[in-house]
Amino acid sequence: MGSYRMCLCFTRKFRWSETEPPRDVKETFQAYVEGASHMNAEQLLRFLADEQGETGASLADAERLIEQLRLLRHRHHLSKLSRPLLAVEDFHQLLFSDELNPPIRSEVHQDMTAPLSHYYIYTGHNSYLTGNQLSSDCSDVPIIKALQRGVRVIELDIWPNSTKDNVDVLHGRSIKEHAFVASPYPVIITLEDHLTPDLQAKVAEMVTQTFGDMLYYPKSNGMDEFPSPEALKKRIILSTKPPKEYLESKISKDKESESQTLNEPPEDEAWGKEVPDFKAELEYDDKSDEDQDEEDTDEDEQGFRKNSCPEYKHLITIAAGKPKGSLKEALKVDPNKIRRLSLSEQELAKAAVSHGKDIVRFTQRNILRIYPKGTRFNSSNYNPFVGWMHGAQMVAFNMQGYGRSLWLMHGFYRANGGCGFVKKPNFLMVNQNNEVFDSKANLPVKKTLKVKVYMGDGWRLDFNQTHFDAYSPPDFYARVGIAGVPADNVMKRTKAIEDEWTPVWNEEFTFPLTVPELAVLRIEVHEYDMSEKDDFAGQTCLPISELRPGIRAVPLFDRKGNKFKSVKLLMRFQFV
């Protein structure tokens, strides 16, 4: 029983309902126990194969699950399990455990032997900033957090110190110590370089001393294909443009920064904004040409060679830069040379309209990096799918912020065991007929996903009793939808369950998918508030290609992408 004070002399009491198995779970249990009161390992194995799609499971796997459930109950000080049998409540608990019954695969399972250009790579932007893009501190803390999350591309700015006789870079050792905590696959450091040749020589010395044998660089100039993630395991590589002569651009950059206002959005506003759809991303403003990334302003490559430090240049594995001329020229594929090209989010949106197929062709062998427009002072982000559907490997995000775009990024890179590298779909690579994927074409439905939202639980454990409503238990509803190519984007919602900490929705939704390979399932829970803005109660995003069919436990995360201790949903996924 829970009590909520309404006024000085009146208190409302609410009876907490026990977490009870949904009807589908009870009926499924009865179908496999065939009239008995308990399920044995053989019956559990049949359920795993028939309902959960785990056709490779063995009797030993079923027995192990029962044993793991017994240990889990012991850890949470619950009554002991009657080994080796499951009552319907035990069966429900097994299904509702995200440890024992997660919604997606947890291991690296994709081919990791293809060139780097064949993968989407988890990429950070201005990785050293703690908050907004103009006045926040520089620190190794956000770099460490990003690496722990599985980010594989870290961006650093390199400037001369105040006396211009040395270089201010302080984060190399932090990268070395945390590079492979979450993933054994390579970490790429992208450098925004503002140095003179003599200081570039110092950087070359610092980099080789800091990383030692971890540092990978080509032994000879000119590669016609990038190495694979497998070949680069536990290695660190550098990506920047061939060095340019240092210009006093920081002065003008600082003046421009001082003239801007941060306009930090309130927290609720930031998480409440929907991800812009593809059409919104294509609304190109001619002023966006001013949003150049310092690293990739137009440059004549002959100019750098004249002013570059050979020791530094030798260490650059992924050379970047934008040749002079039109975008069509920049996207030309050289069969004997590979490189990295960077475009702002708005430059990409403009290019996607007129050069969509050229971008896809370019990314089949070369690497394309997309970065946030310069006016995102509050470290917000953009729609990542515009880059992904054109094959862009490095869709660079501000990991310091939060919001739906960043939730999508977190969810997309839960794929492939969360290792930070996700293999691009075959349709974005060269095929036998030399056809190129066109994101603007009318595509047929390839697959239909049915999602049933049974119930949610855990808020009582993770939140204060009056967190959502001072006078009554919360009124939770769930939003479920798809993010992907424009044809697949949709959001739906359940009804709100009034005055209930353990809401039971039992609602099913159907999603036809034209490009399931790129689609992400979006899940959010909110608390309905009649008089004010609805409260946030959890979110997650899951790659459709990784979903395990059947009844699954789905853990939820907070605004910043941290997993709640207890909050989760019970859902069913079915492909038809």
Side-chain angles (χ1 to χ4, degrees), residues 209-500:
Q209 283 182 354
T210 300
F211 297 118
D213 292 340
M214 279 187 177
L215 188 66
Y216 171 88
Y217 49 91
K219 301 305 177 191
S220 58
N221 286 333
M223 294 187 295
D224 58 5
E225 188 175 73
F226 288 112
S228 71
E230 187 66 32
L232 294 171
K233 261 186 172 178
K234 298 289 183 84
R235 304 299 292 272
I236 288 172
I237 60 180
L238 300 186
S239 176
T240 185
K241 66 197 310 178
K244 64 178 179 180
E245 192 169 353
Y246 172 63
L247 302 174
E248 295 291 338
S249 55
K250 188 175 191 301
I251 298 169
S252 60
K253 187 175 180 181
D254 286 346
K255 284 180 180 174
E256 180 186 345
S257 297
E258 288 166 7
S259 69
Q260 305 286 357
T261 56
L262 292 182
N263 294 325
E264 286 278 7
E267 190 168 296
D268 287 345
E269 208 167 290
W271 77 258
K273 260 186 181 176
E274 275 291 353
V275 179
D277 62 21
F278 187 58
K279 288 180 182 176
E281 292 288 344
L282 294 181
E283 290 175 0
Y284 182 78
D285 180 357
D286 287 335
K287 292 178 183 177
S288 66
D289 286 332
E290 297 168 13
D291 293 332
Q292 284 290 352
D293 202 26
E294 190 72 30
E295 175 192 344
D296 292 291
T297 46
D298 288 354
E299 194 95 36
D300 174 22
E301 287 202 27
Q302 296 299 322
F304 332 97
R305 277 198 273 274
K306 208 164 41 181
N307 296 308
S308 67
C309 162
E311 297 91 348
Y312 179 70
K313 185 182 174 188
H314 182 57
L315 300 179
I316 299 170
T317 298
I318 303 177
K322 193 190 304 180
K324 283 184 176 178
S326 66
L327 182 63
K328 183 87 172 173
E329 286 294 314
L331 291 169
K332 275 190 176 175
V333 177
D334 185 336
N336 301 311
K337 185 180 174 186
I338 48 175
R339 58 192 171 92
R340 193 196 90 201
L341 173 69
S342 285
L343 299 174
S344 73
E345 57 176 287
Q346 289 178 297
E347 288 176 309
L348 172 69
K350 183 180 180 182
V353 174
S354 53
H355 300 292
K357 289 189 175 183
D358 292 329
I359 299 172
V360 174
R361 284 192 194 93
F362 179 85
T363 58
Q364 288 171 346
R365 292 191 70 249
N366 301 283
I367 287 177
L368 178 62
R369 171 179 167 269
I370 310 302
Y371 58 91
K373 61 186 178 183
T375 52
R376 292 190 180 275
F377 307 125
N378 61 359
S379 294
S380 62
N381 288 297
Y382 49 100
N383 184 343
F385 284 95
V386 185
W388 289 334
M389 72 179 67
H390 288 90
Q393 296 88 348
M394 295 182 180
V395 176
F397 260 37
N398 294 310
M399 300 292 170
Q400 312 87 342
Y402 49 88
R404 287 190 171 104
S405 294
L406 190 54
W407 300 347
L408 286 175
M409 179 68 68
H410 291 164
F412 187 84
Y413 283 103
R414 289 191 178 108
N416 201 25
C419 74
F421 287 83
V422 175
K423 193 88 158 47
K424 294 201 292 187
N426 289 336
F427 62 76
L428 286 172
M429 305 311 296
V430 179
N431 58 38
Q432 290 179 339
N433 301 321
N434 205 26
E435 294 173 352
V436 178
F437 176 70
D438 184 358
S439 62
K440 297 185 288 295
N442 290 323
L443 302 168
V445 171
K446 277 188 186 177
K447 191 181 285 188
T448 297
L449 172 66
K450 285 189 174 181
V451 176
K452 188 161 188 177
V453 189
Y454 289 115
M455 61 186 297
D457 199 8
W459 288 280
R460 247 183 312 185
L461 299 173
D462 289 354
F463 291 88
N464 182 281
Q465 180 176 303
T466 56
H467 177 88
F468 296 104
D469 194 321
Y471 306 112
S472 66
D475 308 328
F476 289 129
Y477 66 90
R479 298 180 75 227
V480 183
I482 303 293
V485 299
D488 293 344
N489 288 337
V490 65
M491 283 301 285
K492 302 179 181 182
R493 60 164 285 178
T494 68
K495 59 184 176 292
I497 305 298
E498 294 185 4
D499 299 335
E500 184 57 73

Side-chain angles (χ1 to χ4, degrees), residues 29 40 45 50 59 63 95 125 153 166 168 177 258 294 303 328 395-397 436 472 478 482 496 562:
F29 178 84
N40 61 33
L45 176 60
D50 298 347
L59 183 60
E63 290 171 343
L95 293 179
H125 175 255
V153 184
N166 213 329
D168 288 331
E177 289 170 15
E258 288 166 7
E294 190 72 30
K328 183 87 172 173
V395 176
F397 260 37
V436 178
S472 66
I482 303 293
N562 302 311

Side-chain angles (χ1 to χ4, degrees), residues 83-206:
R83 299 178 63 200
L85 302 173
L86 300 175
V88 66
E89 293 80 13
D90 304 321
F91 180 64
H92 177 230
Q93 189 183 8
L94 172 65
L95 293 179
F96 213 171
S97 167
D98 57 291
E99 288 182 49
L100 305 181
N101 189 36
I104 60 173
R105 302 175 66 172
S106 58
E107 73 282 353
V108 176
H109 58 88
Q110 296 177 352
D111 173 23
M112 302 300 284
T113 62
L116 288 178
S117 55
H118 291 217
Y119 299 84
Y120 298 115
I121 310 172
Y122 206 174
T123 301
H125 175 255
N126 284 348
S127 309
Y128 50 89
L129 294 179
T130 58
N132 70 69
Q133 299 291 301
L134 297 183
S135 62
S136 67
D137 292 333
C138 295
S139 170
D140 61 354
V141 172
I143 292 174
I144 293 168
K145 285 182 177 177
L147 291 169
Q148 289 172 338
R149 194 181 285 281
V151 171
R152 298 290 85 191
V153 184
I154 298 296
E155 184 184 25
L156 298 178
D157 276 18
I158 306 182
W159 291 94
N161 63 4
S162 56
T163 56
K164 297 190 173 48
D165 61 355
N166 213 329
V167 183
D168 288 331
V169 181
L170 306 173
H171 309 313
R173 296 198 183 279
S174 297
I175 294 173
K176 180 181 180 180
E177 289 170 15
H178 296 88
F180 306 112
V181 169
S183 169
Y185 293 100
V187 166
I188 301 166
I189 302 176
T190 60
L191 299 176
E192 188 173 309
D193 167 10
H194 310 271
L195 305 176
T196 55
D198 59 321
L199 292 182
Q200 287 160 2
K202 287 196 174 187
V203 168
E205 187 179 344
M206 289 165 60

